[in-house]
Amino acid sequence: MNEKQMAGEKAAEFIEDGMILGLGTGSTVYYMLQELGKRVQGGLNIHGVSTSKATTNLAKSLNIPLCSINDIDGIDLTIDGADEVDGELNGIKGGGGALLYEKVVASMSSKVIWIVDSAKRVDSLGRFPLPVEVLPFGSQYLFRIFEKEGLQPAFRKKGEALFITDSGHTIIDLKVPRMEDPQKTASWLDGLTGVIEHGLFLNMADLLIVGEPEGPTVVHRK
């Protein structure tokens, strides 16, 4: 069993009957959804809130019941992946392009679990490019701001065309090696007009499940 599968299947143990469940996006979440689908077939009663079209399609193929985020008051538990996580359980997400919906779902959740393989754990955030979801209108202006700050911006592509998020925006990936103050970076990005959302997820994860060679490890936020 690979590390992602370990983490995904371990996370499914935290799902309880009757929950409204936030369904994340990505390759590790895939394994959690496979396990959840088996439990639903066995009689587990849950409703999922999807964070992406890809997750919606996968959940439907596994007969996992879905509901609209606008029809609920809150989410009991969200299980999602991360692109890197530091020792404080702060992370960078958005490698799959679903960061906006993922952050909305996380903000409505009573509890958030991230599932990762061991390579995703880092001492300091910044090794993975920081995704910034931006409004296409005026995006070149933001691109120039990022250039002046030495952040080596790059518009995300899908083939030869710009990558477009599920909500119709573009993504600029930034290089912020060894981020000394993630909160300061997040606040700066939050203040830029035209930035819809960014991939810094700070103080959001309550629990981290890491797939490791000897088995899954569960880490609680300090």
Side-chain angles (χ1 to χ4, degrees):
M1 186 184 297
N2 66 45
E3 292 184 352
K4 292 183 178 184
Q5 186 174 356
M6 285 180 195
E9 293 186 358
K10 179 66 176 177
E13 296 177 11
F14 290 82
I15 300 169
E16 298 175 4
D17 197 68
M19 277 185 164
I20 301 291
L21 190 65
L23 307 178
T25 295
S27 55
T28 310
V29 172
Y30 168 87
Y31 292 105
M32 184 276 292
L33 290 172
Q34 294 290 334
E35 187 66 20
L36 176 58
K38 294 175 188 175
R39 292 186 61 191
V40 167
Q41 292 303 309
L44 180 72
N45 175 36
I46 61 96
H47 282 84
V49 178
S50 174
T51 56
S52 68
K53 291 177 181 175
T55 293
T56 296
N57 292 336
L58 179 56
K60 286 181 175 178
S61 75
L62 297 169
N63 296 311
I64 296 171
L66 298 175
C67 60
S68 168
I69 196 168
N70 291 323
D71 293 337
I72 58 174
D73 295 324
I75 295 168
D76 297 302
L77 170 66
T78 287
I79 301 175
D80 204 350
D83 296 301
E84 62 178 23
V85 187
D86 68 13
E88 304 298 316
L89 298 201
N90 292 318
I92 289 180
K93 290 172 47 55
L99 60 155
L100 175 58
Y101 289 1
E102 287 174 339
K103 195 170 279 189
V104 171
V105 168
S107 70
M108 290 179 62
S109 302
S110 299
K111 185 173 185 177
V112 174
I113 296 175
W114 284 349
I115 50 179
V116 299
D117 59 79
S118 58
K120 302 296 196 304
R121 299 193 76 179
V122 296
D123 293 327
S124 178
L125 298 179
R127 183 178 66 193
F128 192 88
L130 175 60
V132 182
E133 186 163 344
V134 302
L135 197 68
F137 185 83
S139 59
Q140 288 291 347
Y141 172 70
L142 286 169
F143 190 92
R144 289 192 291 273
I145 290 175
F146 297 146
E147 275 188 322
K148 288 177 183 176
E149 293 293 328
L151 298 175
Q152 302 178 56
F155 278 102
R156 188 175 298 185
K157 298 285 188 70
K158 186 175 183 179
E160 295 299 313
L162 284 175
F163 176 89
I164 303 298
T165 68
D166 286 352
S167 50
H169 304 128
T170 52
I171 289 179
I172 300 176
D173 288 309
L174 307 180
K175 291 185 179 178
V176 195
R178 291 201 62 80
M179 206 176 299
E180 299 299 332
D181 190 342
Q183 187 60 64
K184 184 178 180 181
T185 302
S187 296
W188 175 65
L189 290 169
D190 287 336
L192 292 176
T193 302
V195 169
I196 304 298
E197 195 47 84
H198 55 77
L200 282 169
F201 282 59
L202 309 178
N203 303 311
M204 284 192 164
D206 300 290
L207 204 68
L208 176 70
I209 300 177
V210 186
E212 298 185 286
E214 64 275 14
T217 299
V218 178
V219 182
H220 295 264
R221 181 143 61 103
K222 299 173 185 176

